[in-house]
């Protein structure tokens, strides 16, 4: 059993319920920093490193499952560029918040479901795309979850995955001091995700990504811009805070 394993599902659910209730208001990745769609609408990092990328991979005819949709952080960005958006989360408290987001943004194609990534409550071959943002390193039963990802995707469907890159020193240090984020240290590399997904999926893309969620300061954005500048791409891509990966279920 790897040392840097995520908390069990019960502890994970309890943690996020505490966050949404405000009991963990001082938490470094707290609600106002990370789980606030109104704030993220204005984020230049989200526009450049998330929305523009998703727009290239999703289409208006597709049914999309957002695994670990949380309180609806990304719902306003995914819902408008697909036909049907289905959000799923382990926390009923987070889903309640997500319903409020769908209502506030007048999103009429949104369905929300309570469930766990390792036992998805959907029929096989249901979705064209999965969107999975900062979720996989929190999953306790990883192999079962990857099987489930493959099962619910249609043949030729793809999982679009964003995960922390542990080669980013600052990010790795934050994760080290946060028990809830230890899974990112157990994974967090291209090699680890290649090993995890390659038995079940065709690997279409494994690349570094500059998305900043949560702590998103001008200094942080400036550092990411440097890493992704013309010269930085040659030498410093591996310092990006995120990995962006695309895995396809072959027909």
């Amino acid at each position: 059993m790897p040392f840097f394993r995520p908390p069990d599902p019960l502890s994970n659910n309890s943690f996020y319920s505490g966050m949404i209730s405000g009991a963990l208001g001082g938490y470094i990745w707290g609600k106002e920093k990370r789980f606030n769609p109104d704030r993220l609408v204005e984020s230049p990092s989200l526009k450049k490193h998330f929305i523009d990328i998703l727009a290239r991979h999703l289409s208006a005819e597709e049914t999309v499952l957002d695994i670990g949709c949380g309180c609806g952080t990304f719902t306003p960005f995914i819902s408008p560029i697909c036909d049907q958006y289905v959000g799923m989360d382990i926390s009923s408290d987070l889903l309640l918040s997500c319903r409020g987001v769908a209502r506030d943004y007048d999103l009429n194609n949104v369905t929300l479901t309570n469930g766990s990534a390792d036992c998805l409550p959907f029929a096989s071959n249901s979705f064209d795309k999965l969107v999975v943002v900062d979720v996989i390193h929190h999953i306790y039963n990883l192999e079962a979850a990857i099987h489930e990802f493959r099962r619910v995707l249609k043949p030729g469907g793809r999982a679009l995955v964003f995960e922390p890159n542990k080669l980013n020193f600052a990010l790795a240090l934050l994760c080290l001091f946060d028990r809830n984020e230890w899974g990112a240290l157990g994974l967090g590399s291209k090699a680890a995700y290649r090993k995890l997904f390659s038995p079940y999926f065709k690997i279409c893309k494994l690349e570094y990504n500059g998305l900043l969620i949560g702590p998103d300061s001008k200094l942080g954005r400036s550092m990411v811009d440097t890493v992704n500048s013309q010269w930085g791409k040659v030498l410093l891509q591996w310092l990006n805070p995120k990995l962006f990966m695309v895995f396809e279920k072959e027909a």
Side-chain angles (χ1 to χ4, degrees):
M1 179 183 296
F3 181 73
F4 287 114
R5 190 171 187 184
D8 63 83
L10 185 61
S11 299
N12 203 23
N13 191 10
S14 176
F15 171 83
Y16 283 106
S17 293
M19 179 176 289
I20 200 68
S21 71
L24 300 176
Y27 184 61
I28 190 169
W29 317 97
K31 182 180 177 184
E32 290 307 311
K33 297 174 180 177
R34 182 180 180 84
F35 298 101
N36 187 338
D38 294 330
R39 175 183 174 275
L40 288 172
V41 163
E42 306 300 327
S43 168
S45 178
L46 199 75
K47 173 71 169 64
K48 185 185 299 184
H49 300 292
F50 181 77
I51 300 172
D52 288 351
I53 288 176
L54 281 192
R56 294 196 292 268
H57 289 274
L58 300 181
S59 75
E61 299 79 30
E62 293 180 326
T63 299
V64 176
L65 173 61
D66 183 3
I67 297 178
C69 64
C71 61
T73 306
F74 305 107
T75 306
F77 312 109
I78 302 171
S79 168
I81 55 176
C82 67
D83 180 40
Q84 295 296 318
Y85 168 97
V86 180
M88 190 213 74
D89 202 273
I90 194 172
S91 169
S92 56
D93 292 324
L94 290 178
L95 285 174
L96 185 62
S97 178
C98 189
R99 287 189 181 92
V101 169
R103 181 183 60 249
D104 293 344
Y105 283 83
D106 196 24
L107 304 174
N108 298 315
N109 64 340
V110 170
T111 302
L112 301 175
T113 302
N114 186 240
S116 177
D118 58 7
C119 188
L120 296 173
F122 308 105
S124 299
N125 306 317
S126 294
F127 298 98
D128 299 290
K129 299 284 170 60
L130 309 181
V131 176
V132 196
V133 184
D134 282 357
V135 169
I136 292 178
H137 68 280
H138 291 295
I139 298 174
Y140 194 75
N141 299 310
L142 262 179
E143 188 171 352
I146 302 306
H147 275 282
E148 285 291 272
F149 290 6
R150 189 179 190 282
R151 181 183 65 79
V152 301
L153 274 172
K154 297 176 182 178
R158 292 184 170 189
L160 313 177
V161 177
F162 291 82
E163 279 287 302
N165 170 30
K166 67 182 179 183
L167 295 181
N168 180 291
F169 307 129
L171 183 65
L173 188 61
L174 289 173
C175 291
L176 180 64
F177 287 101
D178 178 1
R179 176 65 185 88
N180 198 62
E181 295 291 330
W182 274 15
L185 299 175
L187 294 168
S189 70
K190 288 183 178 182
Y193 284 102
R194 184 182 294 110
K195 180 179 180 181
L196 180 64
F197 276 88
S198 60
Y200 313 104
F201 288 87
K202 174 184 176 182
I203 299 176
C204 300
K205 190 179 292 291
L206 285 171
E207 65 183 24
Y208 297 110
N209 176 273
L211 177 62
L212 288 169
I213 314 170
D216 180 8
S217 63
K218 289 183 179 180
L219 176 60
R221 291 196 298 272
S222 177
M223 293 174 66
V224 168
D225 287 343
T226 300
V227 166
N228 290 283
S229 65
Q230 186 173 0
W231 66 268
K233 287 181 178 180
V234 178
L235 300 174
L236 301 174
Q237 272 285 294
W238 58 278
L239 284 173
N240 267 297
K242 283 283 186 291
L243 297 165
F244 172 60
M245 299 163 283
V246 179
F247 305 107
E248 180 177 296
K249 175 181 176 178
E250 298 187 81

